[in-house]
Amino acid sequence: MAVRGAVPEVIWARPERTGRGPKPAYTRDDIAAAAVRIADAEGLDAVSMRRVAAELGCGTMSLYNYVPRKEDLYELMVDAAGGEHAPWEPSGDWRADMRRVARQTRELMHRHPWLPRLMSPVYGFSPNALRYLEHCLACLDPLEERYGTKLELIAMLNGMVTTYVRNELDTAERVRALPWSEDEENAARIAYLGSRIATGAYPRMAAAFTEDAGPIDLEAVFERAVERVIDAFAPR
Amino acid sequence: MAVRGAVPEVIWARPERTGRGPKPAYTRDDIAAAAVRIADAEGLDAVSMRRVAAELGCGTMSLYNYVPRKEDLYELMVDAAGGEHAPWEPSGDWRADMRRVARQTRELMHRHPWLPRLMSPVYGFSPNALRYLEHCLACLDPLEERYGTKLELIAMLNGMVTTYVRNELDTAERVRALPWSEDEENAARIAYLGSRIATGAYPRMAAAFTEDAGPIDLEAVFERAVERVIDAFAPR
DNA sequence: CCCTCACTAAGTACAGCGTACGTAGTAGCC
DNA sequence: GGCTACTACGTACGCTGTACTTAGTGAGGG
């Protein structure tokens, strides 16, 4: 007589349908789509078991027949988002393909701003993650390196893109819960930063901020970072 | 008559002591230290306003006199951890100094496994973050590049280290709440991965995993990644 | 054919969370 | 000395994840 849930299980190993009993009212995709819809519209914090169940139109506890823990719901969401990755026939130019991968991932994360926060290596085995990984490896066929190196390249590129987009979106996502706007939050922080720098305690930072007062070109910074990661693995 | 908390404020801009009234029983450092102690010992999820107040030995709501929102408590924690960064006199060899910075950050995060999860650019203005940033810039004095480039290097190195350590620690941290061990969790996932690969749908991944079945040398992977980031900014 | 039993569905309940609000007491300033 | 800003903190509300329970359903085995 095992204690309920005492055995570790991967949600993907669970069959969606077992022979007996009435057939489930929802598919895993239905549930993931509902959760993604809520997160896109109202932010990740709005995704609760109750809210997702309501979105589906079923009782809260019925959800637990499909998703044993909330953590697994997150895993479904990440996989669903990963399903939007559209693979293509590798071009033979692995550099160009990697650039395209990076840009596609960034766009995906802009479409689903909660995604960077949920990204975890733990979710790396989901069906769409595997599909994505295999596609990246296919793109890297022309790169004459060991698979270990290729995996390191993919991990580093992914990590960099995730970190980068997180920096782009984090304030916007976190400010949802606050009674003031993102601009006000930023203004308050910049003002404080200015007052600190004015003390003269940080001469190099002061120089950095006076060097170029113009607005930062996020697009260009991103492209540069991608190029650097690529070059780091195969200098020209 | 302003609505309470309707004006954005940075916790660091709040004076710790205003003239009037009885003198506060705790300093900001006391509070941060208590929260860090709890997070180190019981994991980040154990850090609640009630728990921290209990650790300090005061009523729950008294904490709100020091920390207007829980978010700010997190900010205090990150800054406190950042205070453990021990700066040194730049050696003149910026590459060596950057390696040392990366290693020190990694050690810091191993000491405080909750830190990667809390890392956010939003906290980049805290006193210790500023101190750290200035130190990095000082180490980069010999690198003949614009400040913009130097900041990009620091951001990329930091981001890479954070992502990397997160990958190292995430499963361990997340498994705290579960009724099984990290090893069991990993075993379940690896087993599932094996079953997927056995289908033959992922030939390149299959090749990658048969190429080298030995245990991964995390230390070596980390050092390689650091070297790559450094080289990406100043190829030799 | 029908009985059995695995399964779905959903309600109730509990412990814990962040925090708004109100009240009581304290100490520096005019 | 009193005004007043401040600290301290108990109560309460709405929310969370989820354990447990009960009722109903429908395919498989005899």
Side-chain angles (χ1 to χ4, degrees), chain B residues 13-200:
Chain B
R14 267 190 166 217
E16 275 216 64
R17 178 87 170 93
T18 54
R20 295 285 253 280
K23 107 160 182 277
Y26 312 100
T27 67
R28 224 168 252 167
D29 285 347
D30 291 337
I31 295 168
V36 166
R37 226 177 304 132
I38 295 166
D40 284 348
E42 303 165 45
L44 184 58
D45 291 340
V47 176
S48 70
M49 295 301 275
R50 278 170 237 263
R51 184 76 183 70
V52 172
E55 178 86 11
L56 286 169
C58 72
T60 304
M61 294 315 290
S62 307
L63 245 193
Y64 281 90
N65 288 319
Y66 303 85
V67 176
R69 283 163 294 118
K70 190 180 184 194
E71 192 66 30
D72 293 308
L73 180 62
Y74 285 149
E75 196 155 349
L76 290 187
M77 291 173 69
V78 173
D79 184 66
E84 295 179 23
H85 255 123
W88 59 87
E89 198 58 40
S91 67
D93 178 352
W94 67 269
R95 269 177 234 266
D97 283 338
M98 283 300 104
R99 262 176 245 141
R100 191 165 159 191
V101 164
R103 283 192 209 111
Q104 200 175 93
T105 303
R106 177 165 177 252
E107 277 161 30
L108 189 64
M109 289 178 170
H110 276 260
R111 221 153 44 229
H112 305 296
W114 43 270
L115 193 51
R117 248 176 75 188
L118 244 40
M119 271 298 189
S120 160
V122 178
Y123 301 154
F125 298 158
S126 83
N128 281 319
L130 292 178
R131 196 176 52 86
Y132 167 77
L133 195 52
E134 184 71 18
H135 174 247
C136 285
L137 284 174
C139 291
L140 288 177
D141 272 345
L143 175 63
E144 304 202 346
E145 291 277 1
R146 309 180 76 239
Y147 274 109
T149 306
K150 291 178 187 178
L151 289 176
E152 281 175 34
L153 166 54
I154 295 167
M156 192 152 161
L157 195 61
N158 259 326
M160 191 279 288
V161 172
T162 303
T163 305
Y164 183 88
V165 180
R166 222 177 160 196
N167 290 5
E168 284 184 294
L169 300 176
D170 231 22
T171 312
E173 277 295 288
R174 98 185 315 124
V175 99
R176 283 186 114 117
L178 269 34
W180 54 77
S181 75
E182 181 181 358
D183 289 342
E184 287 174 310
E185 169 84 9
N186 283 336
R189 290 192 179 269
I190 299 281
Y192 171 71
L193 178 61
S195 76
R196 297 304 304 151
I197 286 184
T199 64

Side-chain angles (χ1 to χ4, degrees), chain A residues 95-113:
Chain A
R95 270 177 235 264
D97 283 339
M98 282 301 104
R99 274 188 284 259
R100 192 166 159 188
V101 164
R103 283 191 209 113
Q104 199 175 97
T105 303
R106 178 164 176 251
E107 277 161 30
L108 189 65
M109 288 177 171
H110 276 259
R111 219 152 46 229
H112 305 296

Side-chain angles (χ1 to χ4, degrees), chain A residues 29-44:
Chain A
D29 285 347
D30 291 337
I31 295 168
V36 166
R37 225 176 305 133
I38 295 167
D40 284 347
E42 303 165 46
L44 184 58

